[in-house]
Amino acid sequence: MEWGPRALGNRSIVCDPRRGDMKAILNAKIKRRESFRPFAPSVLSEHVSDWFEEDDAVPFMMQVFQIKEEKRSLIPAVTHMDGSGRLQTVKFDANPLYHQLIDAFRALTGVPMVLNTSFNENEPVVCQPKEALDCFLRTNMDVLVLGSNIISR
């Protein structure tokens, strides 16, 4: 499990941060939370300075950085009303699979980050495969990945 109450790429729901409608989709299909609550970006550590005003390691999603003004419209799903994002920086050494996933998304889209939120609906973050499957079946999540197993609707 990750450190603290954050989803750090292992028990996470990940989405396309470029979609302006992604917050509404997540809230309608899965999270069912207040619309003003922001979702966070997980960004490749080597690309932080390209997208954020500050450049520092934030492995535990414990800091908020301003997103560069010219980049905000490119990632509306993770840009809060004040232009900030509560980011997680992802290093290959710390989480190779998550880094590879984000890097594959970058190769396809040019955006080196994904929207990341905790894998839960209105309960604690999932810890067991059964809890992940229960949440998947109870919500309208599109795909569930458990290890090397992929379950889709």
Side-chain angles (χ1 to χ4, degrees):
M1 289 180 22
E2 300 85 353
W3 177 86
R6 308 283 183 229
L8 300 174
N10 297 307
R11 298 175 300 144
S12 294
I13 296 169
V14 295
C15 305
D16 186 344
R18 302 169 305 153
R19 291 188 57 169
D21 60 348
M22 189 51 70
K23 282 178 61 173
I25 291 170
L26 267 173
N27 281 324
K29 289 179 125 186
I30 302 165
K31 300 299 275 191
R32 302 179 194 346
R33 66 186 202 183
E34 301 90 347
S35 61
F36 65 84
R37 291 178 60 191
F39 288 105
S42 289
V43 58
L44 298 176
S45 59
E46 58 269 28
H47 292 279
V48 173
S49 64
D50 299 332
W51 291 79
F52 295 88
E53 296 293 336
E54 300 85 7
D55 186 4
D56 199 2
V58 187
F60 302 116
M61 211 179 275
M62 301 295 283
Q63 289 179 276
V64 175
F65 287 178
Q66 285 296 308
I67 298 168
K68 289 186 175 183
E69 193 167 346
E70 68 273 14
K71 300 288 191 176
R72 293 175 187 172
S73 65
L74 301 175
I75 51 171
V78 295
T79 302
H80 194 43
M81 294 174 1
D82 65 357
S84 68
R86 184 181 47 111
L87 71 157
Q88 172 198 10
T89 56
V90 180
K91 290 187 175 195
F92 182 83
D93 294 344
N95 193 333
L97 282 175
Y98 195 41
H99 189 280
Q100 289 172 347
L101 172 74
I102 299 169
D103 198 40
F105 185 79
R106 180 204 53 78
L108 290 171
T109 66
V111 176
M113 69 188 78
V114 295
L115 180 155
N116 172 23
T117 189
S118 57
F119 190 163
N120 64 340
E121 183 184 11
N122 283 315
E123 71 280 344
V125 178
V126 301
C127 288
Q128 303 292 324
K130 180 187 181 323
E131 295 168 349
L133 186 58
D134 287 346
C135 186
F136 174 74
L137 293 172
R138 186 176 58 250
T139 65
N140 290 311
M141 199 176 301
D142 296 323
V143 175
L144 172 63
V145 178
L146 288 171
S148 61
N149 300 297
I150 300 172
I151 303 165
S152 61
R153 295 193 182 274

